[in-house]
Amino acid sequence: MRVPLLLAVLLSALLALPGISGAQAPPSATSEPRAVEVDVQVTDAGTAVSQDDASRLGLGAADGGVWLQPPVLSSDSPAAWPEGLVGAPGEVKLELVVDEQGAVTEVKVVEAPPEARLTEAALKAAPGLRFSPAKLGDRAVSVRLPFVYRFEPPAALAFTDARLTGEVRARGTRRPLADAALFLDGSTEPATLVDAQGRFTLEVAPGTHRLEVRAPGHKSATFEETLSSGQSIEVVYRLQPGMVNPYETVVRDDRPRTEVTRITLHEQELREVPGTQGDPFKVIMLMPGVASVASGLGYPVVRGGQPASTGYFLDGVRVPMLYHLLLGPAVIHPDFIDTIDFHPGTPPVQYGRLMGGAVEGRLSKPREDRLHVTAYADLVNSGGFIEYPFESTGTSVTVAGRYSYMGLLIPVAYAIFNNEEEHRLHAGFWDYQVRVEQKVGQGRLRVFALGSSDDVGEGAGNYEGGVGGTVTSAFHRVDLRGTHPLAGGEGELGFTVGLDEMGVEGEQMMVNERLPSRPLEVVTVGKYGLNQVSFAARAGWKRPVGESLELHVGGDVEHRRVATDMSGTARPPGWRPTDEAHPLKKPSSLGTLAGAFAAVTWRPSERWVVLPGARVDSYHLVPGITHVSVEPRVSVRHTLTEAVTLKGGGGVYRQAPTILLHLPAVDAAGLRYGLQEGAQFDVGAEWKVAEGLELSGDVFYNPLWRTVEFDVKSVLENRQRRGLLREDPAASGYTYGLDLMVRHPLSRHWFGWATYSFVQSKRHKRFPRYADNATVEGMAEADLPFAFEQAHVVNAAISYKLGDNWTLGTVVHFNTGRPESGEISSVTQREGMTPDKYRVWVREDADRVDRLRPFFRVDFRAAKSWAMEDFNLEAYLDILNLSLQQEVFAYEYTRQNGKLKRESIGVPVVVPLLGLKGSY
């Protein structure tokens, strides 16, 4: 049959003039001709080139004027209706390039119908069209023009009385199933396939029809539809997934591996690990090279260093405190985190001003398809996450937050188990995150705000003289970040404003002489606070240079203004009211930290990757204290075979003095004691044993030339003395050890890993020796075990997806005890005797202290998921320390009835979380 076709009216066209190079530079005999395209204007008088374009092209009256004679179709090329296709009429709009001979040399689809076979037929037929050449004056020229093929089906194949259109989506997630197929009335061949958005159109005869919908990974479903003559209906078919949130194999390490040691965690590896409360960052506690301060606390001790020596980052923004107090989760909602990179040693040059490892959470990219909402509630806290894209403006808005009701539950539990009301424990936390991201050309602009607040303490009790206290901590960050292609690479610019607050408030129950009806009242007797305001900026740029080189440069600067506030009656001796300060108006400490780095990734061959780099940092404390640090670093990776990779590297690292946990002002004010200095060296190998099974090992040695590591007690005592420390706090030391990890990443319904770490962390110190009568008999020096040293740590984690959408998982953890040196625990005591034969406890010499008892625990998680019509629902039970093991934190040394007695201090820390989570 003949298919009608239409030559569209030339409302606009493009003129191509081969060999014309413009009036200002006419072509010479040796110049290459080139095509110049200009717009054509349609007027009542005809089709013309504008006067400006005509002048630019050197066209005048001598060339026949500026009028264009459009081409005329001289030879048709009909497009046949595709054989066997059942459907409705359709149009294919094309753009043709017709050359000076009238032949079609280029065909472009402007608008295509849903049925792809119509487009194929039009593209096949169009090159056969022939036209009379277009002319500009007396010169033949090539032109672009629109052209339309209109298709009409044969009568036998035209079912235009009823039409079924719709979408195929997954139940629960509402995700379009782009690989679905529809089978009509029991046919073994698909009646139609869906497009990339899961949409389909199907022409059917009037009546009742059965449609079976199939898609890989989903249960097939049959739907029945009844259509009358002339009716058109739209449907949405939802298929039940074979498994809700399956453990799919993910593309890991999509960024080229250049670091010596980097462990990257994805998806359920971050959110379904038993004992972590679904918190991505707590999974770090189960990585190789990581020990803990106490079971359940989220403060990693990386390779034997202080927790404060490890840096935490969110997309390049350093976060002062990553975890809530006590057993709380991290301060950012889990749904904000896409992946986590963990560098236990030798971090790259972009991570500066730290002596230990680095943890970077990478924020998830805003989803641009539809509204996303998640909400959960368990026995400790509740949280929500909302993300909405504005397609018309290219804007995405995300809001998340959590609130803990531990403050309501802890007093009740304390009263039940202790059967008393004299003391009331209380604790609570909340956090928030807001992100607004906007597309700007080829780049993006993002505003990200987050904040956190914690408080924990004990009430004063209901008796005169009762005392209590509360520790509060809070921080807020607002970060503006822009990324955009720049000079052949990718550029980034960011600016961050921060507020940090830490406070200790003491209270006492006192007699109320004003109100006899209320004889007792709680009075705040002392308040000590640290407040810090910071302003930071950062910039970075990365681009490839040739085929084997990539350059990465960047820098940052941060200005910190700190104030120390103390009020109440319980002030240390010598405190003057005039010492009150404000971080902006009257700062008690001013510090500026700045750094710059450069690194080159060099691939001399397919098997070698070499990454040399260096960073320079400046630490400045007013008045007049400045330290400059130059830190060269290098890493090398060699692919020995397809399965085995060797790696190694080292570098210099420096950091301001640290304390156990983050405290505002310590990094800046501590600069008066100088910098900590050391190096990190690491060699290892990675072996892909089989598909889905990986083994890695690292041997490391970190010489510590100078350390300044405070504990909380020494900081408070120094503040009371209102002066410098009585002795130089600097020490030296070293750390060495071995990390091993075997891992099965996400795939085949399960994931898991097992790790073993051996660490020796020493500090060279001078210490007193005590006689049996508790007097000091001399001084000595030795390499002492560091307070956080746990020689052996073993972890094993596994999670498995069972049938009917059940998930079961367990974690096994073992560690040897820390030294009982008195820095974060008790001090080992030995039996002694006074001259009058009185038995007493005597402090043991620092090089002979015991260790706390080893600890073993088992965690457990069970979850059940349901795919509802438009959302997923999950119920879960997560138990930290299902084994009910008691961890010893210290020992108490007492004397009872003339006998010396040592008792362990510790309780079984068991955290059972029963919760419910919904995702829309």
Side-chain angles (χ1 to χ4, degrees):
M1 62 170 290
R2 180 175 178 81
V3 181
L5 47 82
L6 173 67
L7 175 61
V9 177
L10 283 173
L11 298 178
S12 63
L14 289 174
L15 174 66
L17 299 176
I20 297 179
S21 58
Q24 296 178 353
S28 65
T30 59
S31 65
E32 291 291 334
R34 63 187 180 92
V36 179
E37 295 190 352
V38 296
D39 290 329
V40 175
Q41 300 173 349
V42 178
T43 66
D44 293 339
T47 304
V49 177
S50 69
Q51 188 62 45
D52 290 341
D53 285 334
S55 176
R56 181 169 62 89
L57 296 174
L59 297 176
D63 295 311
V66 294
W67 300 102
L68 175 70
Q69 179 183 344
V72 177
L73 181 64
S74 60
S75 178
D76 195 2
S77 179
W81 182 266
E83 184 178 354
L85 176 61
V86 177
E91 289 185 351
V92 181
K93 296 182 180 180
L94 306 175
E95 181 183 86
L96 308 179
V97 174
V98 180
D99 65 10
E100 297 88 340
Q101 288 75 41
V104 175
T105 60
E106 183 180 329
V107 181
K108 178 182 177 182
V109 178
V110 177
E111 185 175 333
E115 178 52 59
R117 282 176 283 182
L118 297 181
T119 304
E120 293 175 3
L123 291 174
K124 184 178 180 180
L129 297 168
R130 290 295 181 269
F131 297 82
S132 63
K135 290 187 176 181
L136 186 65
D138 58 358
R139 177 182 297 178
V141 295
S142 62
V143 294
R144 296 184 188 273
L145 73 160
F147 197 87
V148 179
Y149 272 102
R150 287 181 175 170
F151 291 87
E152 292 286 348
L157 299 176
F159 290 140
T160 59
D161 288 342
R163 174 179 293 185
L164 187 66
T165 61
E167 303 174 62
V168 179
R169 296 183 174 273
R171 284 174 60 92
T173 62
R174 300 167 292 141
R175 179 173 60 89
L177 300 180
D179 47 6
L182 285 79
F183 297 80
L184 183 64
D185 296 330
S187 173
T188 58
E189 295 293 329
T192 186
L193 303 176
V194 301
D195 62 15
Q197 288 73 43
R199 298 192 61 84
F200 67 90
T201 299
L202 186 62
E203 303 290 339
V204 297
T208 300
H209 299 274
R210 289 177 59 251
L211 291 104
E212 183 182 6
V213 187
R214 304 175 190 173
H218 294 75
K219 299 177 182 179
S220 60
T222 301
F223 304 90
E224 189 173 281
E225 305 291 351
T226 300
L227 297 91
S228 58
S229 178
Q231 185 180 16
S232 177
I233 65 173
E234 187 166 346
V235 296
V236 177
Y237 294 145
R238 295 176 174 86
L239 299 188
Q240 179 74 28
M243 184 176 292
V244 179
N245 297 324
Y247 290 165
E248 299 173 334
T249 301
V250 297
V251 179
R252 300 172 55 243
D253 293 339
D254 40 39
R255 290 171 291 114
R257 290 298 301 272
T258 56
E259 302 87 350
V260 179
T261 302
R262 184 187 83 209
I263 302 172
T264 302
L265 301 172
H266 303 261
E267 302 296 335
Q268 291 97 331
E269 289 177 310
L270 298 174
R271 299 176 179 85
E272 296 187 8
V273 178
T276 63
Q277 305 173 17
D279 185 81
F281 288 99
K282 279 199 171 182
V283 182
I284 299 298
M285 304 302 299
L286 302 175
M287 293 291 99
V290 177
S292 61
V293 178
S295 184
L297 290 181
Y299 301 102
V301 176
V302 179
R303 291 185 173 178
Q306 262 194 349
S309 66
T310 296
Y312 306 110
F313 302 84
L314 290 173
D315 275 0
V317 180
R318 191 156 186 173
V319 179
M321 182 171 288
L322 187 60
Y323 300 94
H324 288 289
L325 294 177
L326 292 181
L327 303 178
V331 297
I332 186 168
H333 195 283
D335 287 357
F336 254 116
I337 301 300
D338 178 46
T339 60
I340 289 179
D341 288 341
F342 173 50
H343 304 267
T346 59
V349 292
Q350 59 264 37
Y351 302 107
R353 300 191 286 275
L354 51 84
M355 288 279 287
V359 178
E360 176 153 24
R362 301 189 178 276
L363 298 184
S364 59
K365 294 181 179 179
R367 288 167 288 191
E368 301 175 352
D369 52 349
R370 58 188 181 272
L371 171 69
H372 290 267
V373 179
T374 63
Y376 76 92
D378 56 39
L379 297 179
V380 173
N381 65 106
S382 297
F385 177 92
I386 302 175
E387 186 172 61
Y388 186 77
F390 295 88
E391 185 177 356
S392 59
T393 61
T395 309
S396 176
V397 178
T398 311
V399 179
R402 286 177 293 186
Y403 176 77
S404 168
Y405 24 81
M406 292 171 61
L408 303 176
L409 299 178
I410 288 180
V412 175
Y414 190 88
I416 293 175
F417 290 106
N418 290 275
N419 194 26
E420 60 183 49
E421 297 185 358
E422 284 80 2
H423 293 275
R424 295 294 185 105
L425 293 177
H426 59 86
F429 63 82
W430 53 261
D431 59 57
Y432 68 89
Q433 303 90 43
V434 179
R435 176 179 65 189
V436 180
E437 188 154 332
Q438 175 68 51
K439 293 181 181 178
V440 180
Q442 297 180 334
R444 286 180 175 269
L445 188 65
R446 184 191 72 191
V447 176
F448 181 54
L450 70 158
S452 167
S453 176
D454 297 82
D455 71 88
V456 59
E458 184 179 25
N462 295 323
Y463 60 93
E464 184 179 356
V467 294
T470 298
V471 178
T472 61
S473 173
F475 79 87
H476 305 272
R477 292 290 185 275
V478 178
D479 179 67
L480 175 63
R481 176 197 187 201
T483 58
H484 200 277
L486 177 65
E490 181 76 12
E492 176 190 359
L493 187 64
F495 181 75
T496 307
V497 178
L499 172 65
D500 300 77
E501 299 175 330
M502 177 74 73
V504 179
E505 183 175 313
E507 61 182 43
Q508 185 174 3
M509 189 66 69
M510 304 181 67
V511 176
N512 188 343
E513 299 178 353
R514 297 168 299 172
L515 299 174
S517 60
R518 294 177 56 191
L520 297 176
E521 68 173 342
V522 178
V523 177
T524 300
V525 295
K527 188 175 182 180
Y528 177 73
L530 291 171
N531 301 300
Q532 174 178 282
V533 175
S534 60
F535 305 92
R538 68 189 184 281
W541 180 64
K542 180 186 291 186
R543 68 156 293 177
V545 182
E547 296 182 356
S548 61
L549 292 177
E550 184 179 70
L551 177 64
H552 187 195
V553 297
D556 69 286
V557 60
E558 182 178 6
H559 178 65
R560 301 178 180 179
R561 306 175 69 88
V562 182
T564 304
D565 177 52
M566 181 171 287
S567 61
T569 58
R571 300 185 181 184
W575 182 270
R576 299 185 302 273
T578 56
D579 288 339
E580 307 294 337
H582 186 278
L584 292 178
K585 300 176 182 178
K586 295 182 179 180
S588 55
S589 178
L590 286 173
T592 302
L593 311 175
F597 67 86
V600 175
T601 303
W602 178 39
R603 293 177 172 84
S605 68
E606 293 183 358
R607 293 183 175 270
W608 286 92
V609 178
V610 182
L611 181 67
R615 68 174 294 123
V616 178
D617 284 286
S618 170
Y619 304 76
H620 178 71
L621 176 67
V622 175
I625 298 177
T626 300
H627 304 282
V628 177
S629 169
V630 180
E631 302 172 9
R633 303 177 192 177
V634 65
S635 65
V636 179
R637 295 178 65 86
H638 175 58
T639 303
L640 188 64
T641 67
E642 291 185 359
V644 178
T645 299
L646 304 180
K647 56 186 181 178
V652 176
Y653 297 83
R654 292 183 176 87
Q655 185 174 2
T658 53
I659 197 170
L660 170 63
L661 302 177
H662 168 76
L663 286 177
V666 170
D667 283 358
L671 290 175
R672 68 187 66 183
Y673 304 110
L675 297 179
Q676 301 186 85
E677 302 178 356
Q680 298 187 32
F681 301 100
D682 191 319
V683 294
E686 299 169 357
W687 178 26
K688 294 183 179 179
V689 182
E691 183 180 356
L693 188 63
E694 304 170 357
L695 177 65
S696 63
D698 291 84
V699 177
F700 61 89
Y701 174 66
N702 301 341
L704 304 173
W705 307 315
R706 190 174 192 273
T707 63
V708 185
E709 298 161 316
F710 299 120
D711 56 47
V712 177
K713 179 180 178 182
S714 65
V715 171
L716 294 178
E717 289 178 348
N718 179 51
R719 191 70 185 94
Q720 290 179 350
R721 288 193 297 269
R722 298 181 51 74
L724 297 176
L725 294 177
R726 293 173 181 172
E727 60 184 31
D728 185 2
S732 62
Y734 58 87
T735 300
Y736 66 87
L738 167 70
D739 292 338
L740 295 175
M741 182 177 190
V742 57
R743 179 183 182 188
H744 182 278
L746 290 170
S747 65
R748 298 179 182 176
H749 307 306
W750 71 285
F751 71 86
W753 62 79
T755 70
Y756 167 72
S757 299
F758 169 72
V759 176
Q760 293 288 286
S761 183
K762 310 297 181 184
R763 301 293 185 271
H764 187 83
K765 292 186 177 181
R766 179 178 172 85
F767 58 92
R769 292 203 180 276
Y770 295 93
D772 288 343
N773 61 0
T775 61
V776 176
E777 61 180 8
M779 301 295 293
E781 293 185 18
D783 291 336
L784 306 178
F786 189 42
F788 296 94
E789 180 192 87
Q790 289 180 328
H792 304 278
V793 180
V794 177
N795 294 298
I798 187 172
S799 186
Y800 194 91
K801 287 279 188 182
L802 303 174
D804 200 25
N805 293 315
W806 278 94
T807 304
L808 296 179
T810 187
V811 163
V812 176
H813 171 83
F814 170 81
N815 68 67
T816 51
R818 298 186 307 273
E820 192 192 4
S821 57
E823 295 178 68
I824 56 174
S825 65
S826 56
V827 182
T828 302
Q829 308 283 322
R830 71 174 190 268
E831 291 190 13
M833 187 171 295
T834 63
D836 56 357
K837 307 302 180 181
Y838 188 80
R839 300 180 65 187
V840 295
W841 287 113
V842 177
R843 179 169 180 161
E844 185 60 275
D845 295 343
D847 59 342
R848 299 171 184 170
V849 298
D850 295 335
R851 288 182 176 267
L852 302 177
R853 186 188 307 165
F855 177 66
F856 168 84
R857 79 168 193 269
V858 177
D859 307 330
F860 174 78
R861 185 180 189 274
K864 166 67 173 175
S865 299
W866 296 270
M868 314 302 285
E869 192 75 8
D870 287 319
F871 64 94
N872 285 335
L873 189 64
E874 181 186 56
Y876 57 89
L877 175 63
D878 192 323
I879 304 177
L880 174 73
N881 195 13
L882 178 67
S883 50
L884 303 178
Q885 295 296 302
Q886 175 176 302
E887 183 173 16
V888 175
F889 304 115
Y891 292 103
E892 183 179 16
Y893 298 86
T894 59
R895 187 173 187 276
Q896 299 178 3
N897 300 323
K899 295 182 179 181
L900 301 181
K901 187 176 181 180
R902 187 182 84 159
E903 296 181 343
S904 60
I905 300 175
V907 295
V909 178
V910 182
V911 182
L913 284 183
L914 179 63
L916 192 66
K917 179 180 180 180
S919 303
Y920 173 77

